[in-house]
Each structure stands twice: as C-alpha cells, then as structure tokens.
Amino acid sequence: MKREEIRVCILRVGGTNCDAETQTAFEALNVQAEVLHVNEVVKRRSLLDYDALVFPGGFSFGDYVRAGAIWAKWILVKLGKELKAFVEEGRPILGICNGFQVLVEAGLLPAFEGIAQYPEAALATNHPPGYNCRWIYIKHENSGKCIFTRKIPKGKVLHMPVAHSEGRFLLPKEKEQRDLAKLYENDQLVFRYCTSDGKYADGKFPINPNGSFHDIVGICNPEGTVFGLMPHPERAFFWWQQPDWTSQMLMPHHGDGKLIFESLIDYLEKKF
Amino acid sequence: MSVGLYIRRKTSFALFEVNLLEASNQQLLDVSRELGLGLNLQEMKAVQNYFMMKQRNPTDVELQTIGQTWSEHCFHKTFKGLIDFDGKKIDSLFKTYLFRATREINPKWCFSVFEDNAGIIHFDNGYGVAVKVETHNHPSAIEPFGGAATGVGGVIRDILGVWADPIACMDVLGFGPLEYPYEALPSGVKHPKYVYMGVVAGIGNYGNNMGIPTINGAIYFDESYVGNVVVYCGCVGLLPLDKFRKNVKPGDIIVLAGGKTGRDGIHGVTFASAELTEKSEEISRPAVQIANPIEEEKLKRAVIAIRDLELASAITDLGGGGLSSAIGETAKKFNCGAVVELDKVPLKYLDLAPWEIYVSESQERMLLAVPPENLNKVLEIFQGEDVDATAIGKYTEDKILQIFYMNEKVAEIDVPFLFEPPRIVRTAKFVSSKFEEPAFPEPTNMTEVLLQLLSSPNIASREKVVRTYDHEVKGNTVLKPLHGKFGGPNDAAVLKPLKNSWKGLVISCGMNPNYGKIDTYWMAASAIDEAIRNNVAVGGRRIALLDNFTWGNPEKPERLGGLVRACEACYRFAKVFKTPFISGKDSLYNESPLGPVTPTLLITAIGVIPDIRASISVDVKAPNDNIYIVGKTYRELGGSEYYKLKGLIGNSVPRVRPKQAKKSFQTITKAIDLGLVCACHDLSEGGLAVAAAEMAFSGGYGVELDLRAVPTDGLGRNDFVLFSESNSRFLVEVPEKCEKDFETVMQRTFYAKIGKVTKVPKLCIRGLSGEVIVDVAVSKLLSSWKNFPRGEV
C-alpha cells in the first residue's frame, strides 16, 4: 500500500481531547488521518473503510465509573461487529492513554484468548494517587511481535510524557504471575518504566509514575496488532515538544514518539 | 417577606407582581433585600420611576432582570462611575485610565478590545488570539472545588464567546498561609489548606478534562487571603479572524445550547458584589454552580464547527446573570429587542419559577443568534455532538425585551433602560503608607537566609501543583512551566499554536500584593514591569496586557483611593511600555470577618516570539559561560520576601524607572535576537540571590558571582544587593564568544558581568568586600526550593 493511500481513523466521543495532535502526527508522516465522532461512524457504518484505528487520549464520557469503561461498552454495543472484524483481519488498533483504558475495558487487550468478554486487566487509580503530568523514560521490551514498535530496537530507552490519574496496570491478583508469564511468552509486553539509563523503576515513584505492576507501560495483543500505552507519543513527536530541548547542544530531529507512528505506517505499507 | 408588597398573579406557575408603585423608601429597600436584588435606594427609585411611567407594577422576573444587569459584577458600576478623589473628579476609572491607554497607544494589531467577552489581537496567517482572565473569588471561598472549576469553565466560555478555540489556561491563586492556626479562624471561614486543596483540584479537574493545557500561573500566600481567597482563571484561544461573526439582525433565532438549566448559580452576581459574611455559606451556597467539563468539551466542538461553517450571526456565553445578561447584552449591542419563551428552556428539574430560569447561572451553556435559514443545520451539529440545543426566542426590530412563560407575558422592559442605571458617585481618598523602613544588622550567614527564602511560600517550587495540571495536552507547549530534568521555573510559557508557522505565543504574569500594602501605585507599576520582563526574558515582544483587580469594598474611600492610584499607574506604565490593555475584570467587595483583601492586581502579558526556536529558558547551559546582570539595583526592599522573612514590611517599595526599564527590555530583546543569550531569568521575589540559584539548579551546573561588580545605587550591604527586589532586572548567560557583541548591545544600559557558570555544581557568591558570603551545593538549593508545601497537603 502506498503511504498516501493509508487511511487512519481517529475516533472521538464527548470528552476525547487528544485527537487533534494525534492527527497532526499522522499528517506529518503524509498519511490520511481523519478524526471522526463515533456517532458519525455509527451513522455511516464506515469503520472498515480504514486501515488503522486510534483511540486517542482524553476523558471519554467523563471517565465516570472507571476510566474508559463507558466508551468501551458503548462501542461494543454500537460497533461490536465491525470492531471484531477489524481486529480479526489484523488491521492495527492503537490506544493512547484513555484509548489504552478503553481497549482494556473492551477486552481487546491483553486478549490472551482473543477478544475477552470481561476485562482481563485494569488501569487502576495511580499510586501515589492523583493526576500526574510528567516526562518519563520507558524501555522497549518487545521482541518484534508488536507492529507499533518494530522500528525501535529492543532495550532502547524512550522519553515521553504521561498525564493521567488512572494508569496503574494491574492483572488479577490470583493469576498475576501466570498472566505476566503469558505476556512474556506471547511477546505482548511492549514497554516498561525505567530510569534515563534504562534501569527498571521497580515500582519506585516517580520513575514509575503510577505504581504499575511490573513497571508495565503498554502491552499488545498476542497478534501484535492491537497496542495500548499510557504515555503520549503524539506529544513527543516533534523535537521542540521535549522538555529540555533548549538545553541540548545538538537539536534533536524528532521526539521518540515518532518511532511508534513510523512503525505503524511501515507495517501498513508492507503488509497491505 | 413584607406583607402586601407581593401579589401572586393567577397563573399555573409561580409569578409575583411587586407593588412598587406604592412602596415607601423603606419598602423599596425591603424588596431589594428580600428578592436578593442587591440594588441601593437610588437604583430602586430609578426602577420605581420607570414603572410609574409605565403605569404598572413590575413582575419578579422584571425586577430580577434589572437587579442582575445592574449588579457590580455585570455592570462594573465602580469602574464606570464618577469618583471624587481628594477633590479631583474622575469620570469612569475605566475610560480615564485603562481604555485610554489602549486608545492612545492604538496599535494596529489590536482586533477587538474591551468589546466582547475577551480581547482579541492579531497573531499570524490570518489568525487572532483571544484572551480573557476572570476572577472567581467569592464562589471559591464558599466551595473551593466547585468555585475554581466553574471559574475555569466560565473563562473558557468567554473565549468560545468570541468564536475562539481555547488552547491554554493560566491560573493565578492567592491563599492564606497553609499553617494558619485553626483556632484563629472565625466561624464561616474555611482553613487555607482546605481551600488550597479544593481550588487546585478544581482547576486541574476542569482544564484536564477539557484537554486544555494549564501552562502559566502563580500562587501567592498572604494573611488577608485567609478570609478572601483569590482565584484568577485565564484562557487563551485561537480563531481565524475572517470567521469572527457578530452581526445579529432582527428575526435571528435565539438558540440556547449546552447544559440544562437548574437552580445552581442563582444570584451569583449579586453575591459576588457583596462582602462575605459568616452566613455566606448558608445563604449563598446555591450561588456556586456545578461544573461538568465534558459537557463544555462537547459544546466547544459544536461551537467551532458552527463557526467554521459561518452558520450563526453572534455568540455569547452564559455567565454572570445567566440568560438575563446574555440576551440583554446581545439585544443592546445590536440595537434590537427580543422575544423569549422561557418554557422552552430545558430544565434539570421541574418547577423552577420563570425568574429563576432567566437568571440561573447553570454552567456549560452558550447563547447563539442564528439566521432562521441556518437553524436546522445548527441544531443538527449540536445533535451530532450529543449537545442539547433549543430555539428559545428571537431578536426583534423594536428595542423591547419581552419574556413569555406558557403564553403569559412575564416581563416587558425597554432594552435601553436596562443599560442606563443611575451612575454611582463614590468618594476616594489617598492614605499614605504607615510602615517604617526597618533597621537591623546584616545577617552573618547569607547561605542560610537564601535557603530559607527558597523554601518560603511565595518563592518555593510549584511543582506539586503544576504536576496535577496537564500542561502538555494539544502538544503545543514549547516552553513549559517546569523546565527539563530539574523542573526549573521558566519565566513565561511559549506555545506554538499553528502547525505551519514557527511564530510563538508568549504568556506571562506579574503580581506583587505585598507592595500594595505600602503603595498600590508602585504595586501596579511593578506588576506591569514584572509581567513584561517575564515575557521579554524568554524572547517575547509586542506585548498586550490584561488587568484583573481584586479589591475590598469600594464604598470605603481609602480602599477606592488605592484603586484609583493603581489605575493611574496602569495608565502611565502601559503608555511607557506601549503595551495596551486588551481586556480586564474586577472583583470588588472582597471583605470577610477577618478584614479586607490585600489589594491585588494581576497583570497578564501576552507577547509573541517570531520563531519559537529562539525561545530562551531559565537554566544555565554550559560551564565557563559568563553571567551578566542587566538593570540597576536600588535599596528597594519594602514589601520584599526578605523583609517578610523577618516579619517586616518596610517602606522602600520598588519603583519603575521608565527610561531604564525600557532600555533593559529593548536590549534584552535585541541580544536574544542576535543569538547572544543562552539563558535568561528575571529578578523578582528574593532578588539576585534567588534568581541565580534558580538558574543554577535548573541547569545542574554551578554559578559564581561577585557582588562588587553589580551596578547599584551605593547599597553598601550584601543582604541588600542580594535580596533587593528592584524592577526591570535580568540575569543573562552569555557564552564567552558572544561577550563582545553582547556588551555592544548593552551600551548605555546598566549592566555588568558579575560571574560565570561553573562545572562544580555550587553557588558561590563573593560579597562587597571580596569575601565568600554564599557557598552551597546546587542540590541543596534545589531540595530547599522543592520542599513545598511541607508535609501532607
């Protein structure tokens, strides 16, 4: 598929608020990116017209109940069939921050045995509690399954901002170790919080900004085509978005977040 | 309620006529009080006369409409009134000082000033920038979370009210000392810690949920804020100027969109125009609105879509006074009348009286004027965003406001009458400061003083607050409130609002309430200087100002005297710096059982930078670079943080010297444009020592300085040189290779090379006799500075 032909759909609903910068990121890479209200998608039944889907950041439906929970159920009811087809055809879905929460609540992640009927993990309230906006370091853990990070060498440390109050990744207590092992076995673990020189946070705040289990930042499904993460790659796309660019001797070319968008596009160009 | 004054009309809903025609003066005042109108006798008599002329009694809807429109909050009676200032007659503070400065400067880049909900200036590529800063003090005192959240919501709607897309928020807050003794709190006053936590959470909640970054602000602690919390909420928006539509024609439909209307926020404006008392909580709790940022987010999407398709002829927000203000002001502005059908307004619950519907300040509502042919399309857009929108009436040819409820006419008022309240005449007098300049020996351990200053409430890091605000969303924040690895305090925020332009928007503020205790004139001058120099320090220029006054009861002559003095300084220094005022807002009557608020003027500065890649941050960048000071240091410690540390106020308030100040600003801008500056920081609270410490720990390097080189007015004491808060000064880092060029630029400016950046991360300062007086690890400075607030807050 030619790059200019790639069509990305960025979904939004009341409370979504990171759609514009996500669109900017895709457009900067010469891909067609459309921001669509889900009401519009339901009306047109057009989900399958797109090559990739993004659930961007925000506070969908005010994040009442649990972050992402309402939008997840809403979309399953209104667009469940199309969404399932989308996943089964291996078309990529990216969830950023609130989008990650939606994917987990909808059972699309971690999706050990395919799309789950009930959430298999949670993005719980931060520990320490409260909203936290800061730049953090994350280490790439994936061995190649995740199509969103294929251009990133394993072990590479990236710099990106987080801004959320519910980002503590948890697995069910009774299955915690087993599920973690599965994440490794299936190569579903994508990023972990770490220090600038790549040492795992080991739960220590603020290196791990939310108390995530096993310092987990983001995971993908066993096929590697559905990926969610808490930090915002779209806010770390251009070099001037970095918090210390004025202090750098050599101007960096881009922010680390760009690699995620590039990997996705690369995949689409080759696969379809 | 006074018997006999209120006559229930025979309707299926609650509607009263008020027997005003036969009312005595006392009864007029009773009516004003009992209906919560907030009108004085002179105003009530004007109302009485009007209805005598009409030969009928008014309804409660009519009286409430007049009460809201004439309130201090909506009409700014004090700023528009006549003032006798020690014999000098001032015809409107606003016209005489604030607006006059703008008119006389008359810059081409002002698009719309003091006209609408927000001031609009040109930006780039046909885009304009709209800015507004609101006060939300009274509601935040009663209900900190809700008060602050709705303050943010309100100012965002002001921006939507000029068709602009909100892109950033700024919030400046004033609290009582967090360690204030509980037993000293009078009944009805909430503890500063509670207020602080609530307000900060409320601001974060609204901005974060709406996805608007909070990128600039300040927090100030003062005893007087215990009873009168100060909450300034600002918002900046972006709009394509060719989409700015304000041309209502008779026949245009009045569309109410957004949240449903309820009893929350009834009489907010009359409440905001009165002093807080012990009973405020009980009486005024309904005056605080309930916030729902998600509703406003949806509303915003629809409004922007309607703007882009040019489907509406005007827009305004529903804020103070609710429908009554929004419809009245629109009709007035376009020389129209209006017919309103109140029963069409979507309600949160049944049985609101018509007057309640008309004055309710329920949040997240906007009012649009829509030509009939576009109505369906507009309603469709709202529906697509899951937002309620309803046609509730139309604008008419006559200049009469007619309100119906279930086909019954409940009000009929001439629009011009609504906007001609009797003019207020107030007396003001100047009372000079009663503080003396203290005498005390020079302290021996200057390092200790510096560490104390760095952790003092008005200087310490705001990181714990700023982290709870999303300052990155939208991905446009180029210079952030917390800089780099150490969270350094940048002087201003820089945004890159347009995709295809490198031009940046520079946002900063200045506020020095402590100086106002000595002289409000120099407080205002200093706030202007501070806001501008913060802007200049990062590379900003072409600066526009916003004024926000928080003052005590203007009916007390000495309070009003201080306000007049501050306005005089605003005029003078806006002219000096050629920085027009483009918008403003006042909150008066900030008095509590603990006394009046310290007069607090917030100046917000909006500048531009031609290329964001030239933005200058606060952190020192490389060892061996030179450190220069620009500007002269005077013995000006009155109201300083240094004196405050000693429990003193003093009298030597910092002044602004127009020529020197202008020269400092111009040369800094020039040096930045020539690429000679690596880092720049303004000198403010805590003076030279604090600024140097902040630059050092933000960069992670050391700094060594020699006070003997600092240009002073014969200060003779190390502590004065270190901690004086003289205005218009900067510390600048200049690489060795640029030294010569920098000095050429600085000719005829007060400046001096006073030190160097060092690889060893230590701040080392030599005193006036050459001895080392400060010698401390940068990490220790940083940890002192970050140690706030202490303990669990």
Side-chain angles (χ1 to χ4, degrees):
Chain A
M1 182 184 281
K2 283 205 195 109
R3 181 175 283 227
E4 311 80 65
E5 287 167 5
I6 296 175
R7 291 180 71 192
V8 178
C9 176
I10 301 164
L11 289 174
R12 71 176 177 91
V13 76
T16 302
N17 60 36
C18 301
D19 45 301
E21 52 268 45
T22 308
Q23 185 183 31
T24 304
F26 280 108
E27 284 177 353
L29 295 168
N30 298 319
V31 169
Q32 299 176 50
E34 246 180 283
V35 175
L36 271 186
H37 195 290
V38 280
N39 285 350
E40 199 58 34
V41 182
V42 170
K43 210 158 55 179
R44 296 193 209 161
R45 311 236 59 106
S46 59
L47 203 58
L48 292 163
D49 295 350
Y50 297 91
D51 306 305
L53 200 58
V54 183
F55 288 89
F59 290 77
S60 55
F61 290 99
D63 277 353
Y64 302 125
V65 187
R66 280 190 313 274
I70 302 178
W71 200 16
K73 297 297 172 237
W74 191 100
I75 206 128
L76 288 176
V77 169
K78 305 257 186 170
L79 291 166
K81 249 170 129 182
E82 282 101 323
L83 197 63
K84 211 165 159 224
F86 205 95
V87 176
E88 279 165 4
E89 289 175 25
R91 302 197 206 188
I93 302 180
L94 170 64
I96 302 170
C97 195
N98 192 224
F100 184 21
Q101 294 160 339
V102 171
L103 294 179
V104 169
E105 288 288 339
L108 267 62
L109 282 176
F112 289 125
E113 318 290 335
I115 299 174
Q117 202 182 348
Y118 300 104
E120 296 168 307
L123 288 152
T125 43
N126 289 357
H127 188 80
Y131 195 89
N132 207 304
C133 175
R134 65 170 69 242
W135 282 70
I136 42 85
Y137 293 94
I138 57 177
K139 192 170 181 176
H140 187 220
E141 297 290 318
N142 202 267
S143 306
K145 182 64 77 57
C146 180
I147 62 115
F148 295 84
T149 57
R150 284 196 182 154
K151 292 189 85 173
I152 306 167
K154 189 171 178 181
K156 187 178 161 73
V157 174
L158 310 184
H159 201 199
M160 262 180 231
V162 288
H164 59 253
S165 52
E166 294 172 60
R168 182 163 50 110
F169 184 84
L170 291 181
L171 291 166
K173 248 303 129 308
E174 66 282 6
K175 300 193 277 188
E176 198 175 75
Q177 289 310 319
R178 214 173 63 214
D179 280 359
L180 180 64
K182 270 199 236 169
L183 286 177
Y184 275 105
E185 271 162 41
N186 302 342
D187 196 17
Q188 287 182 258
L189 199 66
V190 184
F191 289 114
R192 291 178 68 193
Y193 296 109
C194 66
T195 61
S196 58
D197 50 4
K199 285 195 207 70
Y200 295 122
D202 202 14
K204 211 173 128 205
F205 181 83
I207 304 163
N208 173 338
N210 50 33
S212 239
F213 167 68
H214 198 62
D215 302 323
I216 290 176
V217 176
I219 57 166
C220 63
N221 66 351
E223 292 72 33
T225 52
V226 179
F227 170 48
L229 78 172
M230 286 315 292
H232 288 272
E234 78 282 13
R235 299 184 194 178
F237 189 88
F238 301 105
W239 57 263
W240 48 265
Q241 290 171 323
Q242 296 177 77
D244 54 353
W245 67 267
T246 55
S247 318
Q248 300 187 22
M249 285 301 138
L250 287 170
M251 286 292 187
H253 292 291
H254 56 75
D256 290 338
K258 193 177 184 187
L259 301 171
I260 289 175
F261 295 98
E262 282 179 342
S263 301
L264 167 60
I265 292 165
D266 203 48
Y267 169 79
L268 289 170
E269 279 176 324
K270 286 179 184 149
K271 162 103 196 232
F272 296 98
Chain B
M1 298 285 262
S2 313
V3 188
L5 272 176
Y6 306 98
I7 307 142
R8 166 92 200 236
R9 211 188 267 182
K10 287 196 180 60
T11 44
S12 59
F13 51 89
L15 179 72
F16 288 86
E17 282 177 18
V18 183
N19 190 359
L20 220 55
L21 299 190
E22 291 161 20
S24 66
N25 285 356
Q26 186 51 50
Q27 284 173 319
L28 287 178
L29 286 174
D30 289 347
V31 169
S32 175
R33 197 189 62 248
E34 285 169 0
L35 298 186
L37 303 179
L39 299 178
N40 65 24
L41 185 60
Q42 184 198 7
E43 291 161 334
M44 283 304 289
K45 286 194 86 98
V47 177
Q48 190 181 38
N49 284 337
Y50 176 78
F51 285 100
M52 276 181 172
M53 207 176 67
K54 297 276 169 193
Q55 297 174 330
R56 66 176 175 89
N57 274 318
T59 62
D60 50 3
V61 181
E62 289 169 326
L63 287 181
Q64 294 288 357
T65 303
I66 296 167
Q68 298 288 306
T69 315
W70 290 6
S71 68
E72 180 69 58
H73 185 91
C74 291
F75 209 80
H76 307 284
K77 292 188 279 202
T78 302
F79 269 77
K80 289 182 182 169
L82 295 163
I83 294 173
D84 181 314
F85 181 45
D86 291 331
K88 184 180 163 193
K89 300 271 184 277
I90 300 165
D91 183 353
S92 164
L93 281 176
F94 170 69
K95 277 195 200 142
T96 312
Y97 298 113
L98 303 166
F99 187 62
R100 184 166 139 224
T102 306
R103 207 185 56 221
E104 290 176 5
I105 300 165
N106 193 24
K108 282 198 199 79
W109 42 270
C110 282
F111 179 80
S112 156
V113 291
F114 292 113
E115 267 279 315
D116 261 303
N117 304 49
I120 308 174
I121 50 178
H122 288 270
F123 181 60
D124 196 21
N125 286 349
Y127 278 85
V129 165
V131 200
K132 172 75 175 214
V133 181
E134 269 283 1
T135 52
H136 231 225
N137 305 341
H138 283 71
S140 306
I142 299 293
E143 211 282 271
F145 181 91
T150 54
V152 177
V155 79
I156 292 171
R157 284 197 307 283
D158 277 326
I159 294 303
L160 290 175
V162 293
W163 293 119
D165 191 0
I167 56 168
C169 287
M170 312 81 87
D171 298 284
V172 175
L173 313 173
F175 302 104
L178 296 181
E179 63 286 0
Y180 196 81
Y182 278 88
E183 54 283 5
L185 284 177
S187 127
V189 174
K190 298 182 170 66
H191 192 272
K193 214 177 255 183
Y194 175 81
V195 178
Y196 169 91
M197 290 170 70
V199 167
V200 167
I203 286 176
N205 177 271
Y206 214 100
N208 296 351
N209 278 259
M210 267 201 79
I212 302 173
T214 301
I215 45 110
N216 187 254
I219 298 177
Y220 205 93
F221 294 91
D222 184 89
E223 288 268 333
S224 78
Y225 299 154
V226 172
N228 308 282
V229 59
V230 175
V231 176
Y232 289 123
C233 306
C235 187
V236 179
L238 192 69
L239 74 155
L241 290 172
D242 61 345
K243 302 281 186 193
F244 182 82
R245 284 280 173 283
K246 297 259 167 170
N247 53 350
V248 174
K249 300 215 166 42
D252 285 0
I253 311 287
I254 303 174
V255 174
L256 174 65
K260 289 186 167 50
T261 301
R263 256 187 209 106
D264 48 323
I266 290 213
H267 281 164
V269 297
T270 27
F271 154 62
S273 309
E275 295 182 12
L276 289 173
T277 66
E278 191 186 327
K279 293 228 168 69
S280 290
E281 166 99 34
E282 205 181 303
I283 298 168
S284 310
R285 187 61 190 79
V288 184
Q289 309 95 348
I290 299 160
N292 181 357
I294 301 306
E295 183 65 37
E296 192 148 308
E297 201 277 329
K298 298 189 287 182
L299 191 56
K300 178 195 85 175
R301 301 268 186 175
V303 165
I304 299 305
I306 291 164
R307 170 195 79 184
D308 289 343
L309 295 170
E310 301 173 38
L311 293 173
S313 56
I315 184 168
T316 189
D317 78 310
L318 278 89
L323 282 171
S324 75
S325 294
I327 294 177
E329 281 167 20
T330 308
K332 161 83 175 17
K333 188 164 177 184
F334 299 100
N335 252 326
C336 295
V339 173
V340 184
E341 293 170 72
L342 280 184
D343 46 314
K344 298 223 169 122
V345 174
L347 301 180
K348 288 185 180 173
Y349 27 77
L350 292 176
D351 63 79
L352 261 72
W355 74 267
E356 290 180 304
I357 300 172
Y358 204 52
V359 306
S360 160
E361 295 176 13
S362 287
Q363 291 285 294
E364 290 93 24
R365 299 180 303 160
M366 298 293 292
L367 194 76
L368 285 82
V370 180
E373 64 272 22
N374 296 341
L375 182 65
N376 283 338
K377 184 73 197 148
V378 165
L379 296 180
E380 205 176 286
I381 289 176
F382 279 117
Q383 200 188 7
E385 296 291 343
D386 297 328
V387 174
D388 277 342
T390 321
I392 61 162
K394 63 175 187 216
Y395 293 103
T396 55
E397 199 86 51
D398 57 22
K399 293 176 191 170
I400 303 167
L401 169 68
Q402 298 181 74
I403 306 174
F404 294 86
Y405 188 80
M406 296 167 77
N407 296 323
E408 172 99 7
K409 188 184 275 184
V410 297
E412 180 178 309
I413 314 176
D414 297 302
V415 174
F417 167 74
L418 262 183
F419 292 89
E420 285 159 11
R423 281 191 85 188
I424 294 279
V425 182
R426 298 204 199 282
T427 333
K429 79 172 187 236
F430 174 56
V431 183
S432 63
S433 151
K434 47 193 181 301
F435 302 105
E436 280 185 15
E437 194 62 17
F440 57 86
E442 187 172 335
T444 46
N445 188 343
M446 230 52 100
T447 304
E448 190 49 41
V449 178
L450 176 57
L451 289 171
Q452 281 175 17
L453 274 174
L454 282 171
S455 63
S456 69
N458 287 337
I459 292 175
S461 171
R462 302 295 179 236
E463 178 163 353
K464 283 181 188 158
V465 170
V466 177
R467 293 262 178 243
T468 70
Y469 301 156
D470 193 340
H471 43 272
E472 303 273 0
V473 60
K474 290 189 187 294
N476 294 334
T477 320
V478 175
L479 215 53
K480 306 170 200 290
L482 299 168
H483 183 80
K485 186 152 67 160
F486 305 103
N490 278 325
D491 287 323
V494 177
L495 293 177
K496 182 184 176 300
L498 297 174
K499 267 186 224 175
N500 46 8
S501 163
W502 286 110
K503 195 164 181 172
L505 196 63
V506 184
I507 300 161
S508 60
C509 64
M511 188 167 105
N512 315 81
N514 223 29
Y515 301 170
K517 292 173 184 164
I518 304 170
D519 188 343
T520 54
Y521 184 90
W522 291 114
M523 168 187 79
S526 298
I528 292 174
D529 191 279
E530 187 185 11
I532 297 175
R533 71 178 185 260
N534 274 327
N535 217 286
V536 167
V538 307
R541 76 263 341 246
R542 208 204 73 177
I543 291 165
L545 302 180
L546 287 85
D547 60 88
N548 282 83
F549 294 85
T550 288
W551 234 259
N553 185 344
E555 292 161 40
K556 297 176 184 165
E558 69 282 7
R559 306 245 207 290
L560 190 56
L563 184 62
V564 177
R565 294 267 300 159
C567 288
E568 284 174 349
C570 284
Y571 170 72
R572 180 175 168 208
F573 288 98
K575 286 283 302 256
V576 162
F577 297 121
K578 296 201 171 59
T579 48
F581 287 103
I582 58 164
S583 173
K585 187 73 200 268
D586 56 281
S587 165
L588 309 177
Y589 298 93
N590 289 277
E591 311 232 353
S592 78
L594 285 167
V597 74
T598 298
T600 303
L601 170 65
L602 165 68
I603 297 288
T604 305
I606 308 294
V608 295
I609 182 165
D611 190 326
I612 56 121
R613 290 170 289 193
S615 310
I616 303 294
S617 60
V618 63
D619 52 321
V620 290
K621 309 287 190 300
N624 292 325
D625 283 359
N626 292 314
I627 299 284
Y628 284 86
I629 188 167
V630 175
K632 192 168 170 181
T633 306
Y634 297 81
R635 186 174 167 173
E636 291 177 324
L637 292 108
S640 67
E641 286 300 316
Y642 178 55
Y643 276 8
K644 194 172 191 176
L645 210 57
K646 298 180 171 296
L648 303 165
I649 290 182
N651 197 36
S652 53
V653 66
R655 302 188 166 223
V656 178
R657 295 158 185 85
K659 258 194 173 154
Q660 289 179 27
K662 256 165 60 179
K663 191 81 188 149
S664 289
F665 297 162
Q666 284 162 359
T667 48
I668 290 284
T669 303
K670 191 157 181 208
I672 289 175
D673 285 353
L674 291 171
L676 310 174
V677 175
C678 283
C680 184
H681 195 17
D682 91 307
L683 272 58
S684 54
E685 286 94 347
L688 169 58
V690 165
E694 288 175 344
M695 288 181 81
F697 64 60
S698 302
Y701 292 111
V703 164
E704 54 180 41
L705 301 177
D706 190 333
L707 294 190
R708 287 172 297 187
V710 176
T712 69
D713 198 24
L715 284 188
R717 266 176 66 157
N718 290 321
D719 54 345
F720 292 171
V721 182
L722 284 174
F723 308 123
S724 162
E725 296 184 6
S726 287
N727 283 304
S728 326
R729 295 181 302 155
F730 301 86
L731 275 183
V732 188
E733 179 192 3
V734 179
E736 233 160 30
K737 63 176 199 284
C738 302
E739 198 179 311
K740 239 176 144 183
D741 292 341
F742 183 77
E743 295 189 358
T744 312
V745 171
M746 285 296 148
Q747 268 172 16
R748 291 193 297 281
T749 313
F750 288 106
Y751 82 98
K753 180 157 74 176
I754 61 168
K756 268 190 176 313
V757 181
T758 59
K759 190 152 191 208
V760 185
K762 271 170 65 167
L763 178 65
C764 182
I765 303 178
R766 279 180 193 281
L768 294 171
S769 32
E771 76 289 14
V772 173
I773 53 167
V774 173
D775 188 17
V776 57
V778 162
S779 58
K780 200 167 171 197
L781 296 170
L782 182 66
S783 61
S784 287
W785 182 69
K786 287 208 175 185
N787 186 18
F788 185 84
R790 268 147 257 166
E792 281 296 306
V793 174

